[in-house]
Amino acid sequence: MSRVIELYDTLHAMPELGFEEVKTAEFLANALKKAGYSVTTGVGGTGVIGVYDSGVAGPTLALRADIDALGHFIDGKLCALHTCGHDAHTSMVLTAAEEIIAQKLISKGKLKILFQPAEEPGTGALAVINAGGIDDVDMILGLHLRPLSEVPMGKSTPALYHGASNRLKAIFRGVAAHGARPHLGVNAIDAAVAAITAVNAIHLNPSDSYSIKATKMIADAGVTNAIPDEATVIWDVRSELNDTMDLLLERAKSAISAGAATVGATAEISTYSYIPAAHYSKEAIEVLSKAIVDVYGEEGLAPEIKTVGGEDFHYYIKERPSIKAGYFGLGCDLTPGLHNPSMKFNKNAMEQGKEVLICATKRVLN
Ligand SMILES: [Zn+2]
Ligand SMILES: [Zn+2]
């Protein structure tokens, strides 16, 4: 059995949720040490970083893999399962890391292997950044398995563009009153409805793709013969570009405040669960494109892809804009889809993914 598949089988059998990747982190730290890396554990919680310094001046290249599994309810019980392929990403990055050193494939700069915790909750990358994990990085490369509907086995896309996503929350506050005397109160439900209508009337340039819609509303004063003085609404907000997200939030906040004000209520507005959109450097995309051609030939270079999912990898560039980032999508005949408990893919694709990582590294660190 090949090394990458052997690693995958090992990691697949020890799925752990975000920030609980204790066994996984220990396993990865030991493997990196054995391969010749200086290893730091506990990065941003359960992250692991391995550094190999060639001793010759040059750029620092980071290869990043996410290491957490998802929590699925199976027969009413919460189970950790690797259904997003993070075990595959980790296996490919670790195998590449081992081969690069064993075969002395780089001649300058530093190679940094970054095993990031907690991608699924969307908070692991920020934890690594806040721990100083990427302060010295010049270029960072990541990857993800792609569903068959996007890229088939035998091809990879050199740039997978995720959109930005966000949640916008407003707590509307009115004035409680008896149901028979509504004129003495301010109905928080009326405020929420006015705000939802105002948000629905936002129109940005249709050529920039975006969406904003209310996905949760809570208003329950306990009784039905009184005017409720509090209501909460949550909107799911998405956009293809980070600038569009900023504009959409600005418009939505003023629409919500104005909507609440039409009935004399106030709105306390906040955001959470923000994930930035992809923003890649031309140089990194070129490195990955050439590496894909090195491995598959020209016919294996799939077009760039826009996908609706989110990925916290994009915090690395949002928080450290000087870093050049690239992210490729690996064709592996994955069905029926990511995050599906019966997700499966062709494991042989990991050989190709690992080779793309090696070829890209050789192109940057030689
Ligand atoms: Zn996922
Ligand atoms: Zn994932």
Side-chain angles (χ1 to χ4, degrees), residues 49-51 58-64 110-114 128-129 132-141 313 316-317 320-326 364:
I49 287 181
V51 176
T60 297
L61 171 69
L63 301 182
R64 174 269 201 180
K110 282 185 204 167
L111 178 61
K112 191 167 207 175
I113 304 301
L114 167 54
V128 168
I129 294 163
I134 56 157
D135 287 349
D136 60 344
V137 170
D138 297 298
M139 182 182 282
I140 186 166
L141 301 177
F313 177 85
Y316 293 121
I317 315 103
R320 300 284 184 274
S322 66
I323 296 179
K324 293 167 186 156
V364 178

Side-chain angles (χ1 to χ4, degrees), residues 142-302:
L143 78 164
H144 209 293
L145 304 184
R146 296 325 299 156
L148 177 59
S149 54
E150 285 183 10
V151 195
M153 176 83 184
K155 285 180 188 284
S156 277
T157 172
L160 179 65
Y161 289 93
H162 303 92
S165 60
N166 220 328
R167 300 289 183 290
L168 184 59
K169 178 178 176 179
I171 302 170
F172 298 93
R173 295 211 168 83
V175 177
H178 193 291
R181 299 176 189 86
H183 58 293
L184 300 180
V186 172
N187 192 327
I189 291 179
D190 288 340
V193 170
I196 290 170
T197 305
V199 167
N200 286 347
I202 294 172
H203 298 294
L204 304 186
N205 185 339
S207 59
D208 297 334
S209 76
Y210 67 93
S211 94
I212 182 164
K213 58 275 166 191
T215 50
K216 187 169 188 171
M217 179 164 166
I218 309 161
D220 185 356
V223 291
T224 50
N225 57 357
I227 303 302
D229 63 352
E230 191 175 301
T232 301
V233 177
I234 292 170
W235 286 263
D236 174 277
V237 192
R238 290 170 194 268
S239 67
E240 193 180 316
L241 303 171
N242 288 322
D243 287 352
T244 311
M245 174 62 73
D246 294 344
L247 180 62
L248 191 51
L249 287 179
E250 191 190 311
R251 294 280 183 86
K253 284 175 184 172
S254 55
I256 291 166
S257 298
T262 58
V263 297
T266 59
E268 182 190 318
I269 305 169
S270 56
T271 55
Y272 65 98
S273 289
Y274 171 55
I275 302 281
H279 186 75
Y280 301 133
S281 87
K282 273 194 185 136
E283 195 182 325
I285 294 174
E286 199 175 304
V287 165
L288 287 171
S289 299
K290 286 180 176 164
I292 289 167
V293 172
D294 288 343
V295 175
Y296 298 90
E298 289 285 348
E299 64 284 359
L301 186 65

Side-chain angles (χ1 to χ4, degrees), residues 94-110:
L94 180 53
T95 312
E98 291 173 346
E99 284 186 26
I100 287 163
I101 305 310
Q103 297 172 22
K104 299 186 171 57
L105 300 180
I106 55 176
S107 60
K108 67 173 182 185
K110 282 185 204 167

Side-chain angles (χ1 to χ4, degrees), residues 66 70 84-86 89 119-120 144 310-311 327 338-339:
D66 37 15
L70 277 87
C84 202
H86 299 184
H89 310 157
E119 191 284 323
E120 290 297 341
H144 209 293
E311 167 48 288
Y327 191 100
L338 294 163
H339 290 204

